[in-house]
Amino acid sequence: MMRHIAAILVIILSVVVQTSVLPMAGLAATVQFPLVVLVLLGGRENTQSFFWYALLAGFLLDVYAGIPFGVVTVSTVLLAHVHHLLFARFFTNRSIYATCLLMASMTIGMTLLLLASQWLLPLLGQPLINAVDVMRLPWMLLGNTVAVFVLAMLVHLVGRSVGASFLRPSTSR
Amino acid sequence: MDRMRRRTGILVLIVAVLLVPLHRFGVLQPVEQGIVLSVRPLQRLLYGILPAPRTQQATPERLAELERAVANLTVENARLTALHSAAKDRDALTALLAERGMRGVTATVIGRSTTGSGQLFILDRGADQGIRAGQPVVAGTGILVGIVERAEAGRSTIGLLTNAGRQVAAEVQNASRSPGILAGQHSLTMVLKFIPQQEPIAVGQTVVTAAVDERIPANLVIGEISTIDFATDDLFQEAAVRPLLDPQRVRTVTVLTP
């Protein structure tokens, strides 16, 4: 139970940071903090909880997003499926390098899903993503990967020194 | 176990898709409002956090202490200056609203969101306070910065005038009140289009709103002309308009309500 509460609070905090702190630091377009947190949670929590966390993160982002409601939620849940597939089939060793690679895949995946939404839903009436966003992809890749690396190291160190059980990876997958 | 995971995955995906119509029909409104209201204090707290001042090098103890004191005083001074400036702006805006018989809802920017067409500001006031989509939003001493895109209970979203696709009827404050259509460009600047060729416009002249849209009052200041694109064989001339206010620095705005 403690794990779930901690994970939910972390997701809420990550969305607040994304909407209220990162824009002030000029990093809103470079780091997608909720996605970073999700990738980390995906490597630590059991898959079923992870799907629900992805739904929560997507929903919260949609509440504050300027784009039509639902696009981010559905995209995030689809990404969670991709995450599960990649973790189960390819990046199976759960190392920090695997997490970084997974983060890069998720970043590309999110951009592709937003592009796909734009093409699939031409009636939305406003562009969800433009050429500038796509050109920012390398910076997003760098920003997200560095963020996931730093956060993973922090969680590892804090988890070890404090002994907080909810920071340790889940034993059931 | 794999079957369970697959079923959960599909179930979550179905729930995600179902959220769209539920939001559209307003069923999720209480949930969204609950989230917004409960997260708002945290957003208010975090949105304004600035990087902490850094010390340049190691110094003797006393010097370090004095440097800290100076830094604290500088921060305090900056805060008070900002408060003083905001109060002056508020007074000027109140006077402007009273002079024109308009009403306004003052709101705090609690977040930002970026879309393909530009930047959106999230405000802590919404439909409860009478804010509706299409209403003009002013900042500073009454400079038009954007239009309300969406208003819901407890929050609203405004699109900046500099956003691509945003258009407002405007005119130049000169002897002939040269009319045009103001359009946002690249989320950075604005262009006043369709100004008749014979209109005498000049760099530095102020651009204000025109009395076309009943929701947007006339003569709200938008910006000033920075460059003019004039070609003798064209029917119209164009002018780049520089915003008088940097939207990135805006913390408090006023939504003009009827």
Side-chain angles (χ1 to χ4, degrees), chain A residues 47-48 51 81 84 89, chain B residues 1-14:
Chain A
T47 312
Q48 289 169 60
F51 283 132
H81 280 80
H84 167 61
R89 299 277 163 83
Chain B
M1 193 65 184
D2 250 0
R3 204 171 147 208
M4 262 309 267
R5 279 183 203 143
R6 208 173 304 131
R7 280 171 66 175
T8 309
I10 292 167
L11 175 69
V12 172
L13 189 58
I14 291 169

Side-chain angles (χ1 to χ4, degrees), chain A:
Chain A
M1 191 60 187
M2 180 71 173
R3 295 183 70 86
H4 293 307
I5 293 170
I8 289 166
L9 287 178
V10 166
I11 288 170
I12 293 171
L13 187 66
S14 72
V15 173
V16 173
V17 167
Q18 181 71 35
T19 55
S20 298
V21 180
L22 294 184
M24 297 305 290
L27 291 172
T30 313
V31 180
Q32 294 158 309
F33 202 54
L35 199 60
V36 171
V37 167
L38 264 186
V39 166
L40 271 183
L41 285 175
R44 310 175 69 79
E45 300 300 323
N46 71 61
T47 312
Q48 289 169 60
S49 310
F50 175 59
F51 283 132
W52 291 108
Y53 295 154
L55 180 72
L56 174 70
F59 178 74
L60 289 174
L61 281 172
D62 252 335
V63 168
Y64 291 104
I67 58 181
F69 192 93
V71 173
V72 180
T73 310
V74 175
S75 299
T76 312
V77 171
L78 283 174
L79 269 186
H81 280 80
V82 176
H83 181 286
H84 167 61
L85 185 79
L86 289 176
F87 233 142
R89 299 277 163 83
F90 301 103
F91 307 126
T92 50
N93 65 359
R94 287 210 224 174
S95 71
I96 197 161
Y97 306 108
T99 308
C100 289
L101 275 173
L102 202 55
M103 185 72 249
S105 318
M106 293 295 103
T107 307
I108 296 169
M110 193 53 148
T111 307
L112 289 177
L113 278 171
L114 284 179
L115 273 175
S117 315
Q118 185 162 284
W119 289 327
L120 289 172
L121 305 168
L123 296 176
L124 287 176
Q126 58 173 302
L128 305 180
I129 188 168
N130 58 22
V132 178
D133 294 320
V134 178
M135 282 166 68
R136 269 200 296 250
L137 184 59
W139 291 110
M140 261 195 275
L141 279 172
L142 185 68
N144 284 348
T145 312
V146 169
V148 86
F149 182 84
V150 172
L151 263 185
M153 292 303 288
L154 271 176
V155 169
H156 176 67
L157 292 174
V158 172
R160 203 171 53 175
S161 58
V162 179
S165 62
F166 61 87
L167 287 177
R168 297 199 196 104
S170 168
T171 46
S172 65
R173 294 283 301 164

Side-chain angles (χ1 to χ4, degrees), chain B:
Chain B
M1 193 65 184
D2 250 0
R3 204 171 147 208
M4 262 309 267
R5 279 183 203 143
R6 208 173 304 131
R7 280 171 66 175
T8 309
I10 292 167
L11 175 69
V12 172
L13 189 58
I14 291 169
V15 172
V17 174
L18 276 177
L19 287 177
V20 180
L22 289 177
H23 168 84
R24 178 72 65 177
F25 295 123
V27 180
L28 289 176
Q29 191 74 22
V31 181
E32 289 170 24
Q33 200 178 345
I35 290 170
V36 169
L37 289 177
S38 50
V39 169
R40 192 193 288 172
L42 187 60
Q43 282 187 304
R44 277 199 183 132
L45 181 75
L46 293 177
Y47 189 82
I49 284 182
L50 296 171
R54 287 182 295 176
T55 45
Q56 294 295 321
Q57 57 190 27
T59 54
E61 195 177 328
R62 177 70 182 147
L63 188 57
E65 192 182 317
L66 288 172
E67 277 181 350
R68 271 198 301 276
V70 169
N72 286 340
L73 287 171
T74 308
V75 170
E76 184 63 14
N77 187 37
R79 195 179 69 83
L80 290 173
T81 307
L83 282 174
H84 179 64
S85 163
K88 264 170 57 182
D89 285 355
R90 204 160 37 239
D91 288 348
L93 188 59
T94 309
L96 177 85
L97 293 177
E99 181 191 312
R100 298 190 180 189
M102 292 185 294
R103 285 191 300 168
V105 176
T106 304
T108 306
V109 181
I110 55 168
R112 295 181 196 180
S113 170
T114 308
T115 67
S117 57
Q119 216 176 55
L120 305 174
F121 282 5
I122 302 158
L123 307 183
D124 66 344
R125 295 279 184 271
D128 311 349
Q129 286 78 29
I131 296 177
R132 301 283 180 272
Q135 288 173 341
V137 181
V138 297
T141 50
I143 299 163
L144 185 68
V145 290
I147 306 288
V148 177
E149 296 235 331
R150 202 167 66 185
E152 288 165 37
R155 75 180 193 280
S156 51
T157 312
I158 61 169
L160 300 184
L161 287 185
T162 48
N163 287 359
R166 166 66 59 200
Q167 294 194 331
V168 173
E171 59 189 25
V172 182
Q173 259 189 343
N174 55 14
S176 60
R177 316 266 324 162
S178 311
I181 300 289
L182 187 94
Q185 272 203 334
H186 313 301
S187 307
L188 290 173
T189 185
M190 299 167 285
V191 176
L192 191 61
K193 297 177 175 177
F194 306 114
I195 310 166
Q197 190 70 279
Q198 71 280 5
E199 292 290 336
I201 57 171
V203 170
Q205 285 178 337
T206 308
V207 176
V208 297
T209 52
V212 173
D213 187 337
E214 61 179 17
R215 289 172 302 186
I216 302 177
N219 294 318
L220 286 177
V221 176
I222 298 171
E224 64 178 24
I225 294 177
S226 56
T227 56
I228 297 169
D229 187 6
F230 178 90
T232 46
D233 53 342
D234 282 346
L235 277 175
F236 299 101
Q237 51 184 329
E238 281 187 4
V241 178
R242 188 173 58 81
L244 288 180
L245 202 66
D246 180 4
Q248 306 309 321
R249 294 172 190 273
V250 171
R251 297 278 173 86
T252 307
V253 295
T254 299
V255 182
L256 301 183
T257 53

